[in-house]
């Protein structure tokens, strides 16, 4: 499987943790240590833009909480993101001082006034396009309904920021092997033009399948030392 990391344009904005903390590569994270850090309604409320961050996005019901639960072995984390008042916020979970998982809100709040939705959309786009420590996005889609308008919007924002996206086609157990593989190939073909930034896999939280592939991508993004390199003169 090819692994893609964020383009050089974004690397030059990398901020070291502090003067006393040298630019050493971070260790592979222990996902079971994930702990709730904070929530933000806008970019200015996010934790300092330092270190390594990976965002999880998906329409509501795509299986995001189940995937985060199965990755971290902690059902309380996803519940934290669903606490009333936090469902429309960007929720941060700390893996280590320098590494974070970020749960982005889906579109699960049809009763919210349009103006609120617009503002939320603006803030989400802002976060995806401006957050320098964001190394990549895990985009979850139900394998039976891939590439819906919400997914396309998330892909467009990520790609316009040259950010790698790894797609999980979730609930793969709901389809037989043949149709699941055929959907995988179809989605890959549809995104062929972006193959340098986009990868796709099947995933099932229920059957615990696809974990190793997901971990390979997450570990690569969350320990990507190329962001530590000094920019070279052009
Ligand atoms: P979220 O809204 O994206 O956080 O979605 P959830 O994780 O809450 O999942 C939505 C529904 O899909 C729940 O009823 C889950 O039990 C179910 N679900 C999630 N992952 C899987 C899976 O891998 N297989 C199956 N069969 N159902 C799943």
């Amino acid at each position: 499987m090819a692994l893609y990391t964020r383009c050089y344009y974004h690397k030059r904005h990398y901020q070291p943790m502090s003067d006393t903390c040298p630019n050493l590569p971070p260790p592979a994270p222990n996902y079971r240590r994930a702990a709730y850090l904070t929530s933000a309604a806008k970019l200015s409320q996010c934790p300092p833009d330092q270190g390594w961050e990976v965002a999880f996005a998906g329409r509501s019901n795509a299986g995001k909480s189940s995937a985060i639960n199965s990755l971290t072995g902690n059902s309380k984390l996803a519940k934290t993101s669903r606490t009333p008042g936090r469902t429309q916020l960007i929720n941060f979970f700390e893996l280590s001082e320098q590494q974070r998982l970020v749960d982005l809100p889906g579109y699960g709040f049809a009763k919210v006034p349009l103006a609120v939705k617009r503002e939320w959309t603006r803030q989400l786009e802002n976060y995806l396009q401006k957050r320098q420590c964001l190394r990549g996005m895990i985009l979850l889609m139900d394998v039976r309904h891939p590439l819906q308008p919400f997914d396309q919007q998330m892909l467009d924002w990520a790609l316009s920021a040259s950010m790698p996206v790894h797609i999980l086609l979730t609930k793969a157990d709901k389809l037989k092997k043949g149709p699941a593989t055929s959907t995988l190939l179809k989605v890959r073909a549809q995104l062929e033009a972006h193959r340098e930034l986009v990868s796709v896999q099947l995933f099932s939280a229920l059957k615990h399948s696809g974990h190793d592939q997901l971990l390979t991508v997450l570990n690569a993004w969350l320990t990507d030392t190329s962001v530590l390199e000094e920019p070279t003169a052009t």
Side-chain angles (χ1 to χ4, degrees):
M1 178 179 51
L3 282 174
Y4 309 113
T5 50
R6 207 161 179 185
C7 81
Y8 177 71
Y9 171 79
H10 294 276
K11 288 175 194 166
R12 69 182 162 177
H13 298 291
Y14 173 77
Q15 297 287 320
M17 287 297 289
S18 70
D19 291 344
T20 53
C21 180
N23 281 348
L24 294 174
N30 179 350
Y31 298 94
R32 307 216 156 226
R33 289 232 182 112
Y36 174 70
L37 181 63
T38 189
S39 301
K42 51 186 175 185
L43 198 60
S44 60
Q45 295 169 350
C46 293
D49 195 355
Q50 295 166 335
W52 287 257
E53 215 159 84
V54 172
F56 283 68
R59 295 197 312 146
S60 56
N61 218 36
K64 185 155 55 87
S65 312
S66 305
I68 293 176
N69 282 351
S70 100
L71 176 70
T72 59
N74 183 350
S75 58
K76 285 191 196 136
L77 283 190
K79 250 190 225 156
T80 306
S81 295
R82 290 182 161 190
T83 306
R86 284 191 190 145
T87 52
Q88 290 164 44
L89 299 175
I90 301 170
N91 294 301
F92 292 83
F93 299 98
E94 196 170 52
L95 297 166
S96 73
E97 194 194 350
Q98 302 187 64
Q99 297 156 312
R100 291 172 297 277
L101 297 181
V102 183
D103 188 3
L104 301 178
Y107 272 178
F109 45 95
K111 288 184 189 138
V112 168
L114 193 61
V116 175
K117 268 193 197 176
R118 283 212 183 106
E119 176 57 14
W120 172 81
T121 305
R122 202 172 69 83
Q123 293 305 338
L124 187 57
E125 180 179 15
N126 225 4
Y127 168 80
L128 289 176
Q129 304 223 317
K130 298 198 179 140
R131 186 81 169 160
Q132 299 301 322
C133 67
L134 187 56
R135 304 285 159 233
M137 182 204 285
I138 305 290
L139 181 55
L140 297 95
M141 308 172 193
D142 189 317
V143 68
R144 297 162 298 172
H145 317 286
L147 294 174
Q148 300 284 311
F150 169 85
D151 307 321
Q152 202 57 61
Q153 175 71 88
M154 299 304 275
L155 272 170
D156 289 348
W157 283 339
L159 294 174
S160 70
S162 304
M163 193 197 324
V165 178
H166 184 65
I167 296 175
L168 299 188
L169 297 174
T170 61
K171 310 185 195 180
D173 57 277
K174 293 261 192 192
L175 294 181
K176 291 205 170 115
K177 200 171 173 206
T181 306
S182 145
T183 305
L184 173 68
L185 297 178
K186 222 184 274 170
V187 172
R188 274 195 191 138
Q190 274 177 272
L191 297 169
E192 172 69 13
H194 307 291
R195 64 181 182 280
E196 291 192 354
L197 284 171
V198 181
S199 48
V200 193
Q201 70 158 99
L202 292 168
F203 185 85
S204 166
L206 188 75
K207 300 278 179 198
H208 300 286
S209 64
H211 269 92
D212 290 352
Q213 245 178 307
L214 171 61
L215 283 176
T216 303
V217 172
L218 284 175
N219 287 343
W221 287 349
L222 288 166
T223 61
D224 176 19
T225 51
S226 64
V227 296
L228 301 173
E229 288 160 14
E230 290 295 323
T232 47
T234 49

